[in-house]
Amino acid sequence: MPDDSPIRVAVIGSGPAGFYAAGHLLKDSAGRVEVDMLERLPTPWGLVRSGVAPDHPKIKSVSRVYEKTAEHPRFRFFGNVCFGEDISREDLLAHYHAIVYATGSAIDRPLGIPGEELPGSHAATDFVGWYNGHPDQADLEVDLLSAERALVIGNGNVALDLGRMLVLNSSELATTDTADHALEVLARSRVREVVIVGRRGPAQAAFTNPELRELGELSEADVVVDPSELERGLAVPDPSLKDNAIARQNVEILRRYSERAVAGKPRRIAMRFLLSPVRLIPDEAGRVGAVELVRNELVPDEKGTLRARPTAARETIDAGLVFRAIGYRGLPLPGVPFDERQGVIPNDGGRVTDPSTGVTRPGEYVVGWIKRGPTGVIGTNKRDAQQTVDAILADLAERRNGSGGELSPDSPDAASVERLLIARKPDLVPYDGWLEIDRHERVHGERQGRPRVKLTRIDEMLRIAAAESPDPEE
Ligand SMILES: Cc1cc2nc3c(=O)[nH]c(=O)nc-3n(C[C@H](O)[C@H](O)[C@H](O)COP(=O)(O)OP(=O)(O)OC[C@H]3O[C@@H](n4cnc5c(N)ncnc54)[C@H](O)[C@@H]3O)c2cc1C
């Protein structure tokens, strides 16, 4: 291959990790790299669109950075193309010098307890996708009319997002891009109390400080922490606290909540600790009616990390809704190694490895949550993508010296893969198609004083993307 011929890279997935990887590749490669991004939805941005809470528009506006990357002349977007269904690893190996998997962590971790499948028990992934208008959850039924109390299991930011979304009032939600179907149900919600439950203590919670502080500023809900439970949770000193300023600050915020007088707002969020659910109990209609929990104590493991150990004490909390927010995990991709235990693609600093031998697979790379698991904030994916891109560029440089680990595709030209993709998926959505969807959503949003009104059905998105029948109202 002559040295100045383009290096063609396929990025699978258009969330933050995929976009940071694309951005770094285009910036750092001295003009030789071309990036094609394949996304299974007609819309880009991954969890920035379908995970980040609608009442956090500033965080969602990080997509402007990705828009800049998407405008790059050596970047192409192919939406509505699912890796593993519409296009295989083998297809891509024939067309690209490198493949970067950036497919995120799409499913929830189950609790593994009886009653988990009862109506009224939901995965955070589903509820979050539902209020954010993800097409996979457009038909989810969330009954917010039958329950006055909801239990959220988990002590990370996703649990806080869920709790907040359940207590915001309809005028606060009305200015957001919450999906219309969810706005309607949330406006009629009878949920008055949300109990957020952590299996360990306040010092081990994975909240970040601004998100925890925000709970105390809600207009419609008091935040309640039982001082004696808080102190019980802090009774065993955690040695990791001295190096963890975020956790120390969390403890301070929670302590302030525990000392605060209840203002008597119409709703409340109760933060509970040292409790693990053991069973969801049905009511007479066969829906979730209550949750039995075991009280835990904290004990250090051999490394000194405080773990939750169940005691003999149990507690039952009546709750007609249960949301499990105990972590996300990735889905395996056909033909790509997968670590079932961690729910990630095994890798060495971003180079995909064969799990049985530990040997790297030439030309295959991974970024984001599917690389390191569902941890960190959006910005974490930027650094993480840089590590992978450095590995790609180092491998390409070695290749030029005759020893590198890049692929030798049969048909590396941009036109041939585009022909293949169109043949496989005639209704694929190019970036211009997404811009049509974006414009449509924003125009409708503007009329209602909202950032956008989301389309939540794939067929609607495809119709707008193809600009086939202009909206008569526009
Ligand atoms: C509920 C929730 C709220 C969050 N809120 C915040 C927040 O407020 N602030 C913050 O900093 N971070 C937040 N995060 C974390 C942040 O969203 C993640 O760090 C980030 O989205 C991970 O990026 P990713 O690209 O690895 O995965 P994702 O964002 O999940 O992107 C993966 C993309 O790959 C696509 N894909 C999957 N499979 C295929 C396939 N087979 N073929 C083609 N495409 C595929 C998906 O459709 C998706 O677009 C939140 C996370 C969650 C779950």
Side-chain angles (χ1 to χ4, degrees):
M1 184 178 61
D3 235 5
D4 57 350
S5 63
I7 301 287
R8 307 221 354 99
V9 181
V11 175
I12 317 300
S14 68
F19 263 99
Y20 288 126
H24 294 320
L25 277 165
L26 293 166
K27 178 167 63 68
D28 298 347
S29 60
R32 288 191 67 215
V33 172
E34 297 177 356
V35 175
D36 284 352
M37 184 174 277
L38 276 54
E39 165 57 52
R40 85 174 178 89
L41 295 177
T43 56
W45 321 147
L47 285 170
V48 169
R49 178 174 164 99
S50 64
V52 172
D55 64 327
H56 284 171
K58 263 204 197 123
I59 296 174
K60 283 186 185 275
S61 69
V62 69
S63 60
R64 292 207 197 104
V65 174
Y66 313 146
E67 282 168 5
K68 289 261 172 317
T69 299
E71 284 159 13
H72 197 287
R74 283 182 279 115
F75 176 92
R76 299 190 299 183
F77 176 79
F78 296 102
N80 199 32
V81 177
C82 184
F83 176 92
E85 280 180 25
D86 304 314
I87 191 103
S88 69
R89 172 178 168 269
E90 288 66 34
D91 293 327
L92 296 184
L93 295 181
H95 289 90
Y96 293 97
H97 298 93
I99 305 171
V100 181
Y101 303 108
T103 48
S105 309
I107 55 168
D108 71 300
R109 286 189 186 272
L111 295 167
I113 59 171
E116 191 168 359
E117 304 311 325
L118 287 172
S121 160
H122 298 279
T125 36
D126 288 341
F127 186 59
V128 167
W130 174 76
Y131 64 61
N132 263 316
H134 193 297
D136 287 359
Q137 278 85 32
D139 293 320
L140 186 77
E141 297 216 346
V142 187
D143 180 357
L144 299 180
L145 295 177
S146 309
E148 292 202 356
R149 184 180 295 121
L151 199 81
V152 180
I153 299 158
N155 255 193
N157 282 347
V158 174
L160 297 186
D161 278 355
L162 255 69
R164 225 180 43 252
M165 284 299 289
L166 285 165
V167 300
L168 290 176
N169 70 27
S170 38
S171 64
E172 287 164 319
L173 287 169
T175 54
T176 69
D177 67 1
T178 305
D180 280 352
H181 57 236
L183 275 183
E184 199 223 317
V185 176
L186 286 163
R188 292 184 295 129
S189 168
R190 291 186 52 228
V191 173
R192 289 291 165 267
E193 183 177 45
V194 179
V195 183
I196 300 179
V197 170
R199 80 195 139 109
R200 297 194 289 164
Q204 291 80 41
F207 311 132
T208 49
N209 304 148
E211 280 68 19
L212 186 56
R213 232 176 258 121
E214 192 180 0
L215 278 201
E217 293 154 12
L218 294 169
S219 68
E220 291 285 291
D222 282 309
V223 56
V224 183
V225 177
D226 174 2
S228 61
E229 191 168 77
L230 184 91
E231 294 314 326
R232 233 186 7 258
L234 295 169
V236 183
D238 187 339
S240 71
L241 267 192
K242 76 174 176 350
D243 300 322
N244 189 342
I246 295 175
R248 286 201 306 273
Q249 195 57 42
N250 278 343
V251 170
E252 281 319 304
I253 298 166
L254 288 163
R255 189 166 273 135
R256 279 203 295 279
Y257 291 161
S258 76
E259 291 161 357
R260 213 152 97 162
V262 173
K265 295 176 186 174
R267 291 174 174 175
R268 56 184 241 155
I269 294 183
M271 312 283 292
R272 301 287 315 269
F273 299 98
L274 298 172
L275 288 170
S276 294
V278 288
R279 149 173 102 99
L280 308 193
I281 304 164
D283 63 11
E284 58 285 355
R287 297 177 47 82
V288 173
V291 183
E292 186 181 341
L293 304 110
V294 64
R295 291 221 190 105
N296 298 321
E297 59 188 355
L298 292 176
V299 282
D301 66 10
E302 63 285 355
K303 287 187 190 143
T305 306
L306 294 186
R307 304 278 175 209
R309 185 168 69 188
T311 66
R314 303 240 162 161
E315 178 176 342
T316 300
I317 300 178
D318 290 336
L321 277 167
V322 175
F323 298 96
R324 51 186 183 276
I326 56 166
Y328 282 33
R329 57 181 276 118
L331 279 172
L333 296 170
V336 182
F338 192 68
D339 178 336
E340 281 292 344
R341 215 170 56 84
Q342 309 284 343
V344 298
I345 296 175
N347 68 92
D348 179 5
R351 293 180 177 96
V352 175
T353 55
D354 191 313
S356 51
T357 60
V359 173
T360 56
R361 283 198 170 190
E364 288 180 84
Y365 302 88
V366 60
V367 289
W369 274 16
I370 194 66
K371 171 186 177 186
R372 57 174 210 283
T375 57
V377 290
I378 291 167
T380 318
N381 300 294
K382 188 172 181 183
R383 279 194 305 281
D384 167 280
Q386 187 68 62
Q387 182 196 42
T388 299
V389 167
D390 287 347
I392 299 173
L393 297 179
D395 290 351
L396 292 174
E398 270 198 43
R399 164 86 182 175
R400 253 174 280 163
N401 300 332
S403 60
E406 150 208 345
L407 304 173
S408 301
D410 295 335
S411 319
D413 64 300
S416 74
V417 74
E418 188 173 18
R419 278 195 301 275
L420 174 74
L421 288 168
I422 292 171
R424 293 279 173 81
K425 200 76 185 185
D427 53 2
L428 66 74
V429 176
Y431 196 69
D432 281 351
W434 153 246
L435 291 180
E436 288 295 332
I437 296 172
D438 189 40
R439 195 184 59 82
H440 176 96
E441 291 187 342
R442 284 179 193 276
V443 166
H444 283 75
E446 218 168 283
R447 291 178 194 155
Q448 300 179 17
R450 301 164 63 190
R452 62 177 69 239
V453 174
K454 279 182 176 170
L455 298 175
T456 60
R457 307 260 165 207
I458 301 275
D459 54 356
E460 255 183 319
M461 293 180 186
L462 297 181
R463 186 176 63 78
I464 301 296
E468 270 166 10
S469 49
D471 188 327
E473 288 177 40
E474 281 179 35

